[in-house]
Amino acid sequence: MTTLLWIIAMILVLGALAYLRVSLLTATIAAAVVMTAGWTLDVVGPISWIVFLVVALPLNISAFRQNVISRPLMKVYRGIMPEMSSTEKEAIEAGTTWWEADLFAGNPNWKKLHNYPVARLSADEQAFLDGPVEEVCRMVNQHQVSHQLADLPADVWQYLKDNGFFAMIIKKKYGGLEYSAYAQSRVLQKLAGLSSELASTVGVPNSLGPGELLQHYGTPEQKNHYLPRLAKGLEVPCFALTSPEAGSDAGSIPDFGIVCKGQWEGEEVLGMKLTWNKRYITLAPVATVLGLAFKLRDPEHLLGDKEELGITCALIPTDMEGVETGRRHFPLNCMFQNGPTHGNEVFVPLSFIIGGPKMAGQGWRMLVECLSVGRGITLPSNSAGGVKTAALATGAYARIRRQFKLPIGKLEGIEEPMARIGGNAYLMDAVTTLTTTGIDLGEKPSVISAIVKYHLTDRMQKCVIDAMDIHGGKGVCLGPNNYLGRGYQAAPIAITVEGANILTRSMIIYGQGAIRCHPYVLAEMESAFDTESGQGLANFDAAIFGHIGFATSNFIRSFWLGLTSSRFSNAPYSDKTKRYYQQMNRFSANLALLSDLAMATLGGNLKRKERISARLGDLLSQLYLASATLKRYEDEGRQTDDLPLVQWAVEDALYKLQASLDDLLDNFPMGLGGALRVVMFPFGRPLKRPSDVLDHKVAKIMQTPCESRDRLGKGQFWTNSEHNAVGIQEQTLLDIIASEPLHDKVCKASGKRLPFMWLDKVAAEGKALGVLSDDEVNLLERAEIGRMKSINVDDFDPAELRPEVVSTSSQERAA
């Protein structure tokens, strides 16, 4: 019995040390203490001590461990893991890791999350939102844009230029606004809630493009010339990366330049002949300056020994001879300016390269370093803004629209999709806020930007479909009063661009995340193939033994957290959010363990096992979405009235995570899934999807004017103006709610149960009965006008459905 108790004690001590992630030396000392106790109890004999010392001493003597253990392991490692290509290395090294690395490491530091600063707007940024952004929203008639002009009106284009909308990322010393990433996100959210054309037109110049690249890499001459002109709207920029043969695989672009001598402004200079054929380029039809990505070749060695210099970025004025722009694509009835551009042997000086000749061949690094910032702001913010507006508009519509003598929002079948819209609106706003907080702290979060691009555009598309289902004919029939149809049409565009969602999920999120976020893998890869520094073996030894300890810890953590349903793990709060933190501790450990096992069993083949990679990426992604939601709840003062939104969002994210984990275990390599399921789910899957009761609470918030509803739609364009059907409907919601007790008063006075329609007639009857004041009569009459405007759909003379023929070209309207 004494021996059994000693063995149990040794297992518990070693397990606890692994759970706590102590150092190898500390673990060895602790094991020696237990061994000494066993010696005292006459359980441990000399042979046991000899075995212990034979194992422990070599592991703690670094020189011996490196040469006897790590050197052979490094040879095996090189055979399993292929050396990274230069483009892979540049992509991996681009950007930074941030909060996602904590989630990947199996032991999230929740205090660290909540200590990140609360995102706030400066006085200038808030004034911009309340002034120019509000005004341009008033100016836009979406039906006119999408059906009549096929473009933003000329006065809107000019207003955008005059008020710095294209200059949010440009520094003040060049005449720009120099706004924070958070402010850019809030601007785009507000615009996107009204018009995808407006949001796209503003978003692209402030994302990856000439402005961003010039500020980071441009020569002083390039900056001084272009940045003030871009800030004033004298130049309209676009960036041409995508080709017919190279969409999401941007690194394989076929467009090329040849280094050669040629005539420029009457002199022979060293330059490039550029040939390109680009597609899907936003703002290309109206751009005055074209950012161009191409592969530069130097067959005559005019720049050096290399013939293939690599991807290069240059700025090309579009009025140059041989530059073809102006034609447009027609992306799903979304009328933002998007089109092709061509050029055949267009000669330009080497000074047109962004950063000058020294940056020849550095374009891929430039792109991947800058892409993470723009991709983390523009499309996620547009998606969040669209869903926030859809959430409140759908809530208002469901409260106004009646069927079966009830507001349709009280029907359980309607509550279910409404809850999905409201919960996602809360989550998506939280995610954009946390992501832009990281960017404003100086991070370039390449993994996070891939997560938010994929998941927020995906959730946006699903929410728009839900909103369309609830609105029925109101959403289907296009016209000035339809605030959903064009967004529904345009939703697949966001899914497709800036890296198609299928590729982003299956390759990019985990493909970069596994290496960037893992505390040891990148160090192992770099040191294993380091043949020059002389530190390769030592660095590999430190990384590989750190990795072994890390994997051991995550196995113990996964087992213990699964066995106890993580109830004893740390959480920063003891309220209703406590269990969410604890469950995330569990899933974080699972992710870390499964990542190590996937890499160990598949090695370099993991990147080709896209469905395994995608599911691992889902675990990391949903942890990020859920943690962003909890961070928002904390930052907004833990408003208990918002708890249904928080609970729905987190429970939905964790349930989706659990589903991906379950699928992963069913398909895990080498048949290990069954054994791992026993470790991770010893009592079955612990989580359920959000309940019907929670759905009801979220749907009620969406339909009821209150502070929680205000926070849900904060910052969107709710003004009751001529062309804003959503703002008009918001006023109608207030009028309808105020009319209900008046309707009841008239019913009681008349002794009849009048239907809640024809409120003008109800008003007339109430006035005749003397139970309504003139103000109350006016309210009912106004509510009836708004009610009919909300539930009616637009109709047209057949001639009106023919698009208007506009004499001016797109270029002239935008000039």
Side-chain angles (χ1 to χ4, degrees), residues 374-411:
R375 189 165 56 179
I377 299 174
T378 305
L379 285 175
S381 299
N382 290 354
S383 299
V387 173
K388 285 168 63 178
T389 295
L392 266 62
T394 303
Y397 179 79
R399 186 69 177 78
I400 296 167
R401 175 68 164 158
R402 292 187 174 227
Q403 297 279 270
F404 311 108
K405 299 181 180 180
L406 284 173
I408 63 170
K410 294 191 175 186
L411 303 174

Side-chain angles (χ1 to χ4, degrees), residues 449-776:
S449 69
I451 290 172
V452 298
K453 188 276 170 182
Y454 163 54
H455 285 278
L456 267 60
T457 58
D458 179 69
R459 286 174 180 250
M460 175 272 296
Q461 185 182 43
K462 291 179 170 63
C463 286
V464 172
I465 291 171
D466 278 333
M468 289 288 287
D469 286 349
I470 293 168
H471 283 75
K474 173 74 173 180
V476 169
C477 294
L478 295 173
N481 288 307
N482 185 324
Y483 44 76
L484 281 178
R486 295 300 186 182
Y488 171 80
Q489 289 178 315
I493 300 171
I495 302 295
T496 301
V497 299
E498 290 192 15
N501 275 7
I502 290 176
L503 173 129
T504 302
R505 175 177 179 257
S506 61
M507 294 179 65
I508 295 177
I509 293 174
Y510 191 76
Q512 290 188 350
I515 298 175
R516 289 304 311 272
C517 298
H518 197 288
Y520 299 105
V521 167
L522 183 57
E524 288 170 351
M525 296 178 72
E526 291 177 339
S527 58
F529 295 98
D530 179 7
T531 58
E532 297 180 2
S533 71
Q535 292 295 311
L537 179 60
N539 292 338
F540 181 81
D541 172 78
I544 197 69
F545 274 91
H547 194 157
I548 292 170
F550 178 74
T552 303
S553 173
N554 287 315
F555 177 82
I556 297 297
R557 290 180 65 82
S558 291
F559 175 74
W560 175 251
L561 294 174
L563 191 66
T564 61
S565 192
S566 64
R567 289 188 178 276
F568 303 108
S569 66
N570 69 300
Y573 296 99
S574 298
D575 59 9
K576 291 184 178 180
T577 66
K578 177 180 180 179
R579 289 296 292 145
Y580 301 145
Y581 290 102
Q582 292 177 328
Q583 288 157 352
M584 291 168 71
N585 291 335
R586 173 183 187 172
F587 288 129
S588 177
N590 294 165
L591 168 62
L593 175 61
L594 290 168
S595 294
D596 281 329
L597 290 175
M599 286 185 279
T601 54
L602 293 172
N605 289 323
L606 177 56
K607 64 182 178 181
R608 285 182 285 276
K609 293 291 185 179
E610 293 180 7
R611 299 183 76 173
I612 298 293
S613 179
R615 289 163 182 147
L616 287 165
D618 288 345
L619 307 191
L620 178 61
S621 298
Q622 300 297 349
L623 284 171
Y624 182 73
L625 303 186
S627 63
T629 303
L630 294 171
K631 166 70 169 164
R632 174 182 179 175
Y633 183 56
E634 167 72 8
D635 288 351
E636 293 182 349
R638 308 189 74 77
Q639 304 287 337
T640 54
D641 289 345
D642 295 354
L643 260 177
L645 297 165
V646 178
Q647 292 173 302
W648 194 99
V650 175
E651 289 177 20
D652 177 70
L654 296 184
Y655 183 79
K656 286 181 168 68
L657 184 156
Q658 180 181 257
S660 290
L661 177 53
D662 193 46
D663 289 341
L664 178 60
L665 294 177
D666 282 343
N667 295 277
F668 206 79
M670 298 177 64
L672 293 175
L676 290 169
R677 190 180 295 279
V678 173
V679 173
M680 296 177 184
F681 292 148
F683 305 112
R685 295 185 296 175
L687 303 182
K688 297 179 180 179
R689 67 175 73 247
S691 68
D692 294 351
V693 171
L694 200 52
D695 283 356
H696 170 75
K697 291 179 179 178
V698 172
K700 185 176 180 181
I701 289 173
M702 293 168 66
Q703 299 173 76
T704 308
C706 60
E707 290 184 358
S708 288
R709 188 176 187 271
D710 291 344
R711 283 188 289 270
L712 188 63
K714 183 180 179 182
Q716 297 307 103
F717 181 55
W718 303 120
T719 304
N720 181 359
S721 59
E722 180 183 1
H723 303 305
N724 187 18
V726 170
I728 295 170
Q729 185 170 264
E730 279 293 294
Q731 181 59 53
T732 299
L733 172 66
L734 299 176
D735 290 345
I736 288 293
I737 291 174
S739 296
E740 289 175 346
L742 304 181
H743 175 267
D744 291 340
K745 186 191 294 188
V746 174
C747 290
K748 184 177 181 180
S750 66
K752 298 180 289 186
R753 188 61 197 168
L754 302 171
F756 195 83
M757 59 178 65
W758 305 311
L759 298 180
D760 53 340
K761 296 180 180 179
V762 174
E765 185 163 351
K767 186 175 183 178
L769 291 170
V771 296
L772 295 180
S773 67
D774 289 343
D775 287 344
E776 290 171 332

Side-chain angles (χ1 to χ4, degrees), residues 35-55:
M35 290 289 292
T36 302
W39 177 273
T40 303
L41 295 171
D42 202 27
V43 172
V44 174
I47 295 177
S48 298
W49 269 109
I50 291 170
V51 172
F52 172 75
L53 293 172
V54 166
V55 173

Side-chain angles (χ1 to χ4, degrees), residues 411-446:
L411 303 174
E412 289 191 354
I414 299 294
E415 284 184 343
E416 183 179 0
M418 281 187 69
R420 289 196 292 264
I421 300 168
N424 275 302
Y426 187 91
L427 177 145
M428 292 167 72
D429 199 2
V431 171
T432 57
T433 299
L434 180 60
T435 303
T436 53
T437 294
I439 293 170
D440 286 330
L441 289 172
E443 303 291 342
K444 294 183 177 180
S446 56

Side-chain angles (χ1 to χ4, degrees), residues 280-293:
Y280 325 116
I281 311 304
T282 299
L283 295 186
V286 297
T288 62
V289 59
L290 170 70
L292 183 68

